[in-house]
Amino acid sequence: MEKTDVAVIGAGPSGLAVLKNLKEEGFNVIVYDKRDSAGGVWSYSEDPQTTSTVPATISNVSKFGNSYTDFPIPDNLPAHLTAIQTCDYIKSYASHFNLNPHVQLNTSVKWIERNANDTKWQVCTSASGNEEIKDFDKVAICSGLSTKAIIPKFEGEDMFKGEIMHVQNFKRPSDFKDKRVLVLGMGNSAADTSTQLIGHAKDIYLSHRGGAKILSRIVDGAPLDLVITRQKNVVKFALDRYLPSLSRFLFDWTIERYSKQSFKLDPSWRLSPAPSLANHQPVISDHLVDSLWAKKVNSVQGLRRFIGKDKVELTDGTVLEVDAVILCTGYEPDFSITTDFSPLDSGEGKTAGINETPLARLYHNIFPPRYAHSLAYLNYIAVTDGAITISDLAAMAIAQIWKGGYTLPSPEVMNAEIDKHHEWVRGLGKEDSVYTGIVHPGPWYAFLNSAAGTGVDEKLGYGLEGWNFWMKEKKLSGLMMRGVMTPFMYRFFDGRRKRWDGA
């Protein structure tokens, strides 16, 4: 039987996970990446148009909750890996599973289109100045969430003689030696950028309009993500379904408690009140608050406009003299690579949030109903859990669906589910911004576990199989339900995806 040809775009954590899981199921897979090294955003790049972490970056999620499901991070590495350590781990995953022969680096994908018969995907690549077009049965787009920078425009930009750049272009803090820098935003990239500038920049201003929940990586002597257990998630997902307002209140209250436990905030910083974590990620930073107290970073109002060659005016009328402005204003989903097909819903009233961002018609934020059996997006998923683990779980699901081990519903049912999900997203963004790739965690994880056939929901739940597992393995069941929510649980039980004996 002839093998199915699959193209994977991106050799980051998700692209390599898709490659590995499809390869295990007998697919013929090739991965394209424009970078000169695997690792995705964790692989440092000097290219200003390529998003990458800087060497000083530290992972927000610990190694105990963010690894591949059948490839542990070595014990000798710290709980929270640096960018270099994370990239090395991802590369070691590729080497361990012999994935590198299937990866073509320094190869850009120019466009993806359906062929004339609408039977295959044509992928146009460029390497060393040579373009090539190949046909593939299926395509997985794993180019990451941080590719298309959101660059807001401000009045008076043309008169400013300093540098205005998006954080995507921020590569070396030393480039801002003795400069006065305004960092615009209040998210993880803004916190990282402002604290990394300490010791280099002369003055650092953190400019923001709203608040944020600030959390430390370590709570009560242990990584923050170890607070989350399978049992707590089961309860939260049930509350999300039946008592969403209560669930939201309890979750925000819990996070606020951990934040206050870790840090004392000055009201003048305007970090409170913070938006709900239902549609905003917390800021994970061990150094921001201390830097604010020490006046090494100064919290200021939002940017209104530029009023001179080296002056900006803030929303409260304050005028600051600055030499550079770094825009930590986020990224938006990019579907432009499929030139003759876009999943974005352009209908009137179909946007979400105060910024009126279009929503993508993707079943569980992955599959376009029309091409669900040949096209998958892994660049439209926003969750706070470990990205490497999530990528592996999603890759398992994709492999089983495309193999035929799990049947997706009809396009009509998928579209109805998408409409329901979009209504939920628009509800979150009624009076606020919302990342449109956000997923509803309970149903989303249930879908992935079911499609991949992990057995997790059945064995680690409160149904008949869950009670049977508890009766037979009380100690193990208790450990898996109330202990660390380890990524390896997804490979522990027998199921459709490949089980890992080491789990």
Side-chain angles (χ1 to χ4, degrees):
M1 186 176 177
E2 192 173 338
K3 284 191 174 183
T4 301
D5 294 324
V6 184
V8 176
I9 317 304
S14 61
L16 293 176
V18 171
L19 164 60
K20 184 259 188 186
N21 281 278
L22 288 176
K23 182 169 166 277
E24 282 182 343
E25 299 298 340
F27 290 88
N28 184 35
V29 190
I30 185 169
V31 177
Y32 298 111
D33 199 300
K34 67 179 182 179
R35 302 172 191 255
D36 60 6
S37 172
V41 70
W42 296 100
S43 177
Y44 178 75
S45 172
E46 287 282 351
D47 181 5
Q49 302 304 313
T50 299
T51 307
S52 69
T53 54
V54 298
T57 302
I58 298 175
S59 175
N60 289 337
V61 183
S62 80
K63 67 179 183 180
F64 306 111
N66 187 31
S67 73
Y68 289 106
T69 60
D70 53 2
F71 190 69
I73 295 175
D75 291 338
N76 65 329
L77 291 179
H80 293 89
L81 274 60
T82 64
I84 294 173
Q85 289 169 333
T86 302
C87 188
D88 287 344
Y89 165 70
I90 294 168
K91 290 178 179 178
S92 65
Y93 172 82
S95 297
H96 179 79
F97 290 105
N98 195 31
L99 304 180
N100 292 317
H102 302 268
V103 179
Q104 285 192 17
L105 299 172
N106 297 305
T107 304
S108 298
V109 176
K110 311 297 287 185
W111 50 260
I112 301 171
E113 295 179 354
R114 293 296 282 177
N115 65 4
N117 297 326
D118 197 24
T119 56
K120 291 180 182 288
W121 294 99
Q122 292 187 316
V123 178
C124 177
T125 60
S126 176
S128 302
N130 299 316
E131 286 195 359
E132 182 180 32
I133 299 174
K134 285 186 176 182
D135 285 355
F136 291 90
D137 300 295
K138 304 178 188 295
V139 173
I141 298 175
C142 307
S143 48
L145 296 168
S146 307
T147 56
K148 188 176 181 180
I150 298 174
I151 304 178
K153 297 296 181 181
F154 292 92
E155 178 187 341
E157 281 186 19
D158 55 335
M159 67 178 74
F160 185 67
K161 301 305 179 183
E163 186 174 15
I164 303 173
M165 62 184 289
H166 193 273
V167 70
Q168 183 182 55
N169 311 136
F170 179 76
K171 303 297 181 180
R172 288 174 300 274
S174 58
D175 290 344
F176 298 87
K177 183 69 175 176
D178 296 328
K179 291 186 177 182
R180 301 161 297 181
V181 184
L182 183 83
V183 178
L184 181 64
M186 180 42 79
N188 284 297
S189 61
D192 286 348
T193 302
S194 58
T195 53
Q196 288 167 6
L197 285 168
I198 294 173
H200 301 282
K202 178 182 178 182
D203 296 309
I204 306 166
Y205 301 104
L206 181 58
S207 172
H208 58 103
R209 296 174 184 268
K213 285 187 170 64
I214 314 291
L215 295 171
S216 172
R217 290 180 176 85
I218 303 296
V219 175
D220 291 333
L224 174 66
D225 45 289
L226 298 194
V227 170
I228 303 169
T229 66
R230 170 69 186 172
Q231 187 178 59
K232 289 178 181 177
N233 262 0
V234 170
V235 173
K236 185 185 183 303
F237 294 162
L239 287 174
D240 284 346
R241 181 176 181 181
Y242 298 108
L243 296 168
S245 296
L246 177 61
S247 178
R248 181 170 178 166
F249 169 78
L250 290 174
F251 185 58
D252 286 340
W253 176 83
T254 301
I255 295 300
E256 182 71 18
R257 182 166 61 89
Y258 286 128
S259 179
K260 289 181 177 179
Q261 182 178 325
S262 299
F263 302 114
K264 179 184 177 182
L265 305 180
D266 187 328
S268 67
W269 301 337
R270 299 171 296 104
L271 296 177
S272 294
S276 172
L277 294 187
N279 53 327
H280 288 271
Q281 291 191 352
V283 174
I284 310 294
S285 177
D286 299 322
H287 306 297
L288 178 61
V289 173
D290 288 343
S291 300
L292 288 167
W293 278 116
K295 303 295 184 182
K296 294 179 180 179
V297 175
N298 300 285
S299 173
V300 299
Q301 293 280 347
L303 175 61
R304 174 179 289 164
R305 59 176 178 161
F306 295 85
I307 58 173
K309 64 178 183 179
D310 63 350
K311 291 184 175 66
V312 297
E313 181 184 335
L314 306 180
T315 54
D316 63 351
T318 299
V319 174
L320 297 175
E321 293 185 353
V322 298
D323 304 299
V325 175
I326 302 176
L327 306 172
C328 297
T329 46
Y331 300 84
E332 61 182 321
D334 187 7
F335 300 106
S336 60
I337 197 169
T338 49
T339 54
D340 61 351
F341 170 75
S342 173
L344 288 176
D345 196 335
S346 57
E348 186 177 348
K350 299 294 186 181
T351 59
I354 57 175
N355 297 324
E356 298 185 350
T357 307
L359 299 174
R361 298 198 63 80
L362 297 175
Y363 184 61
H364 287 292
N365 288 33
I366 299 175
F367 300 101
R370 181 179 175 184
Y371 296 115
H373 295 286
S374 66
L375 181 61
Y377 293 89
L378 280 182
N379 62 345
Y380 194 64
I381 299 168
V383 288
T384 56
D385 299 327
I388 296 177
T389 302
I390 289 166
S391 297
D392 201 359
L393 179 59
M396 288 184 233
I398 291 170
Q400 294 306 314
I401 289 168
W402 283 357
K403 174 189 174 184
Y406 179 88
T407 303
L408 290 172
S410 67
E412 292 76 18
V413 172
M414 283 192 277
N415 275 308
E417 286 294 320
I418 292 171
D419 289 337
K420 184 178 178 181
H421 176 68
H422 284 183
E423 183 179 352
W424 175 75
V425 175
R426 283 192 288 271
L428 292 177
K430 275 185 178 180
E431 300 176 353
D432 198 356
S433 61
V434 60
Y435 185 79
T436 56
I438 194 169
V439 299
H440 207 167
W444 191 73
Y445 276 112
F447 165 71
L448 293 184
N449 277 306
S450 179
T454 65
V456 166
D457 283 346
E458 293 82 3
K459 297 292 195 301
L460 299 180
Y462 293 101
L464 182 59
E465 286 191 56
W467 287 112
N468 284 339
F469 178 61
W470 176 78
M471 289 292 292
K472 295 176 182 177
E473 299 282 356
K474 290 183 180 180
K475 185 176 180 180
L476 181 59
S477 175
L479 179 65
M480 297 181 76
M481 286 292 284
R482 297 187 294 275
V484 176
M485 201 168 74
T486 171
F488 313 122
M489 69 180 181
Y490 296 114
R491 296 279 184 178
F492 183 80
F493 302 106
D494 289 327
R496 283 188 298 276
R497 54 83 188 100
K498 186 177 179 181
R499 184 179 182 273
W500 179 46
D501 291 338

